[in-house]
Every structure is written in C-alpha cells, then in structure tokens.
Amino acid sequence: AQSVTQPDIHITVSEGASLELRCNYSYGATPYLFWYVQSPGQGLQLLLKYFSGDTLVQGIKGFEAEFKRSQSSFNLRKPSVHWSDAAEYFCAVISNDYKLSFGAGTTVTVRA
Amino acid sequence: DAGVTQSPTHLIKTRGQQVTLRCSPKSGHDTVSWYQQALGQGPQFIFQYYEEEERQRGNFPDRFSGHQFPNYSSELNVNALLLGDSALYLCASRSSRLAGHEQFFGPGTRLTVL
C-alpha cells in the first residue's frame, strides 16, 4: 500500500528566507505526487503535482518540488518565504484507484 | 465556475446521534471522494463514489455510509456518533473523463461531537 512520510512536524522560517519541506513516499509503481496547502480553517489547495517527465515541477505561489526516484522523495521548496505562506503543508500520493494518501503534514510558521 | 461546495460549514452533535454532510462537486466532475481530517493529522480517505455507487473504501466502519445522486452531488452519513468522529470532513471531486489525477477539495465541514 502507498504511504507518505513528512519527517518535519513544524518548521519556523524567517520572512525572506528559503524553505524546504521534506516528503518521502512508498509506492510500488510510478507515483503520482502532490503538495497541498491548508490555511487555518480552510480546505486544501493544490500547490503542484508530479505525474511524469521533468522531475522539477513548478507550482503556484512560487513553489517548486523535485522528484527523486532514487531517494523516494518529493521535497517542496520556495526561495523566499512570505508571511502569507504560514500554513500547513501536506504531501500526498495517489493510487491507481484514485485514493489519495496524505502525510501527517508540516506546519510552517513565518517570523518577521 | 463554482468549485466544490460543502454544507453545513459547522455542526455540533452529541454522542449517539446521526449526521448527514453534503457535497456538490465542481462543475463537470462526476466522481466524489470523502476524507476525514482529525485535528493535527492529514486527511484520511473514507470512500469514493462514481456513477452513484461506492467504488473504493478506506478503513472506516460501517457507521460511515454515503450516497451519490444523479446530479453527482453526494452525502456522507455517520451513525451512532462517537467523540472520535469529531473532525473536519473534506469532499473532493474529479472528472473520470480527464487523464489527470487532480482532485479539487471543498472547504470542509467541521463536525464536533460532544
């Protein structure tokens, strides 16, 4: 069965600094991977997705992620964080039957 | 173009009661999935509906049931509520006709069981 691990429960970063969120997946076949963001009290918004092709994918809000099959990772990055990026971030993998499996999430706090 | 909508926004119930949550998918979408997100955790897949039938089910008891209507909207029913059912319930929709696996999420229904 597929699964996702997000090793970092909470990350604090200064505004303007770079951000990297880690994600490791377990899936037998070629994974379809996603990063979602959730602001307090809100639903999930898709930041970016990887299906195939270029292993560096660009998303919304200046985020990017790199798929590394050898490391079973799909880490999310942003070069310069804004205060509005404070939120919870979820990595997810989808199975052939379209069932999403999410990690436990990483909470990002942005300090001024 | 309206996205995925859910109602109600918030709900408070007591143990043993029954609850029904509703979801309208994004326009053009025909497949609806439900997820439970407990506080501090990632969403957990409950089940998925397509063509008015439950197609996939996660590790949830039979107290959790659902329905999909001809207009593709869906309901999630939970019977005999437990305190542990308190969570944010998210609905997601997708189109079976599109190759992509992207699912669009609604804002969720916050259920509190007292």
Side-chain angles (χ1 to χ4, degrees), chain A residues 32 34 36 38 42-44 46 49 51 90 94 97-100 102-104, chain B residues 35 37 40-43 45 48 56 88 90 94 100-103 105-107:
Chain A
Y32 294 152
F34 304 82
Y36 286 88
Q38 185 176 40
Q42 303 297 313
L44 299 171
L46 181 67
K49 59 192 176 187
F51 291 160
F90 294 95
I94 199 164
D97 53 10
Y98 305 107
K99 180 176 72 173
L100 276 168
F102 289 86
Chain B
Y35 293 80
Q37 186 180 16
Q41 298 183 22
F45 175 78
Q48 180 182 101
Q56 307 291 338
L88 180 68
L90 296 165
R94 60 178 291 272
H101 292 60
E102 183 175 348
Q103 298 185 26
F105 282 82

Side-chain angles (χ1 to χ4, degrees), chain A residues 36-107:
Chain A
Y36 286 88
V37 61
Q38 185 176 40
S39 298
Q42 303 297 313
L44 299 171
Q45 182 182 22
L46 181 67
L47 286 175
L48 47 78
K49 59 192 176 187
Y50 172 78
F51 291 160
S52 63
D54 193 349
T55 57
L56 185 63
V57 294
Q58 302 297 320
I60 62 172
K61 304 185 179 186
F63 284 92
E64 65 178 25
E66 186 171 12
F67 171 66
K68 293 185 178 180
R69 185 185 299 275
S70 62
Q71 299 178 18
S72 297
S73 68
F74 187 56
N75 294 348
L76 181 72
R77 298 192 293 254
K78 185 168 184 177
S80 178
V81 169
H82 186 261
W83 64 266
S84 60
D85 293 322
E88 188 145 22
Y89 293 79
F90 294 95
C91 182
V93 63
I94 199 164
S95 62
N96 288 335
D97 53 10
Y98 305 107
K99 180 176 72 173
L100 276 168
S101 294
F102 289 86
T106 298
T107 301

